[in-house]
Amino acid sequence: MSPLDTLESTAHALLAPGKGLLAADESFPTIGKRFKAFDIPPTEENRRAYRELLFTTRGLGESISGVILFDETIRQRTSKGPSMPELLAGLGIIPGIKVDLGAVPLPAFPGEKFTLGLDGLRERLAEYRRLGARFTKWRAVIAIGENGPADACLSANAQSLALFAALSQEAGMVPVVEPEILMDGAHEIGRCEEVAGATLARVFEALNVQRVVPGGMLLKTGMILPGEECPRQAGDSEVAEATLRCFRKYVPSAVPGIVFLSGGQDEVPATRRLNAICGVGGTPWKLTFSFGRALQDSAMKAWKGVPGNVAAAQEALGHRARCNSLAVRGSYGERVETERGGKTGSTA
Ligand code: 13P
């Protein structure tokens, strides 16, 4: 197989029908914040135990094609001995890795951010591939402000995403190119559509200049939504229409798939909206989820860092994974949401 065939086949496997990605790549500050909400001490062992419980949820591979890991996790061993990527690969789940080093303030543009991590990236990518990663992720953060995002923010982020993607393809791993438009603010849904459109136009222009092969990458971004504080919230079909209209205009059809982040939406609305978007059909790219919080929230709440709660936490994750798997097929509804008790427990 040529390197391009490998990239395309990995992208295709990540987009297997009815499957999506689990984003479990929270950085130290982010996982610390999530643990703090349940008084879970942010220790290395707690992070290891938590990720192991997620990955060993029985039947996970039926709804999850790939897991995005954090640097610490890809190096950790499970309680049974194998490394985390070996555990996932053994379950038929493709290990991926977050490779950016986080977003920091953009100088001269208060409230805007750019993402660190290009220095030494070629060497880090080679190591991640040896450790078992087959795809990578880089997140750019775009805030919707009164006058923003500034052109400087869009161009800095588009350029880094494109360089990251080119380096990742060079290393034989599928880049998941993630420009996240934040939900913070009181803006209308139309403003989100406008900003997402401007962002995607810049990102795809930079990817093209950098010779990123569209067939060997995935786009990860949010649904088109009004700001969290907007007095007029949108219905699911309005969200679906705006999201698909924006993607049709700006995402080349040669990109095999678009995966959604959840971005702070609650679990059930995220699944409902995913169902509305995916239910439309007839898109040139495949659509699926790559949720962090909207897959994990209930599971972490059930676990609380207590070993005796592992089965309940796995039940919660298994349920959300099944609901989102059905949503990708447009077959999710209230009945499915209230129907619990599929296969539960641990594979290990
Ligand atoms: P959320 O689904 O919690 O937004 O996380 C997805 C992700 O990978 C953000 O980079």
Side-chain angles (χ1 to χ4, degrees):
M1 267 209 301
S2 79
L4 188 57
D5 287 341
T6 311
L7 290 173
E8 287 177 355
S9 68
T10 304
H12 189 76
L14 288 169
L15 298 165
K19 295 191 189 183
L21 310 184
L22 165 64
D25 60 333
E26 298 84 0
S27 61
F28 292 129
T30 305
I31 194 78
K33 196 165 80 185
R34 307 251 191 283
F35 275 5
K36 196 165 192 279
F38 302 108
D39 288 326
I40 305 166
T43 61
E44 176 173 357
E45 176 47 24
N46 275 340
R47 290 189 293 267
R48 196 203 58 72
Y50 175 63
R51 266 79 182 239
E52 181 170 345
L53 92 75
L54 296 179
F55 307 159
T56 56
T57 294
R58 190 174 294 281
L60 195 69
E62 288 164 27
S63 344
I64 300 293
S65 54
V67 171
I68 313 174
L69 300 168
F70 179 60
D71 179 80
E72 177 186 66
T73 323
I74 201 170
R75 303 169 191 284
Q76 282 173 327
R77 297 206 159 266
T78 64
S79 55
K80 301 277 192 307
S83 72
M84 293 286 189
E86 283 166 348
L87 166 77
L88 290 169
L91 296 166
I93 297 174
I94 304 171
I97 180 82
K98 167 207 190 70
V99 304
D100 68 74
L101 299 178
V104 294
L106 184 68
F109 292 89
E112 315 241 17
K113 291 192 165 171
F114 76 110
T115 302
L116 300 177
L118 288 172
D119 283 2
L121 183 55
R122 180 175 270 130
E123 294 70 29
R124 287 198 291 126
L125 288 169
E127 188 193 11
Y128 287 141
R129 193 157 202 297
R130 279 197 302 277
L131 290 168
R134 292 295 174 263
F135 70 102
T136 55
K137 184 194 99 170
W138 179 289
R139 173 173 176 258
V141 178
I142 312 292
I144 302 186
E146 225 164 273
N147 305 308
D151 200 55
C153 171
L154 296 186
S155 86
N157 281 299
Q159 180 60 22
S160 323
L161 282 166
L163 274 168
F164 141 75
L167 283 162
S168 183
Q169 289 193 336
E170 178 189 84
M173 294 182 284
V174 172
V176 175
V177 174
E178 181 183 6
E180 171 170 5
I181 321 293
L182 297 181
M183 274 166 51
D184 306 351
H187 51 270
E188 296 275 343
I189 186 169
R191 177 93 180 107
C192 177
E193 187 173 346
E194 205 175 276
V195 170
T199 305
L200 292 176
R202 295 296 283 267
V203 168
F204 281 104
E205 188 191 320
L207 290 166
N208 186 42
V209 169
Q210 225 55 61
R211 300 191 175 162
V212 172
V213 181
M217 63 161 277
L218 300 179
L219 172 69
K220 171 164 177 164
T221 195
M223 302 170 187
I224 303 295
L225 295 167
E228 256 177 333
E229 285 107 55
C230 178
R232 198 186 73 82
Q233 287 299 312
D236 298 347
S237 54
E238 188 181 358
V239 170
E241 270 168 40
T243 303
L244 292 171
R245 185 167 56 229
C246 182
F247 289 174
R248 283 207 169 94
K249 207 158 160 192
Y250 296 103
V251 184
S253 53
V255 172
I258 305 171
V259 299
F260 289 103
L261 57 92
S262 58
Q265 300 177 70
D266 286 339
E267 291 173 328
V268 172
T271 308
R272 246 186 22 231
R273 291 164 180 156
L274 181 70
N275 185 68
I277 296 168
C278 296
V280 173
T283 56
W285 357 259
K286 293 199 175 126
L287 296 165
T288 190
F289 58 92
S290 174
F291 291 164
R293 285 162 283 180
L295 274 167
Q296 295 184 49
D297 280 354
S298 298
M300 194 182 291
K301 189 172 175 189
W303 181 53
K304 292 192 181 70
V306 177
N309 293 338
V310 165
Q314 292 183 324
E315 207 271 324
L317 173 65
H319 178 64
R320 286 263 54 84
R322 279 191 301 279
C323 286
N324 286 306
S325 163
L326 288 166
V328 169
R329 301 168 196 262
S331 312
Y332 167 80
E334 234 170 273
R335 196 182 51 80
V336 180
E337 186 57 59
T338 46
E339 207 175 66
R340 301 291 286 247
K343 286 175 253 170
T344 57
S346 174
T347 51

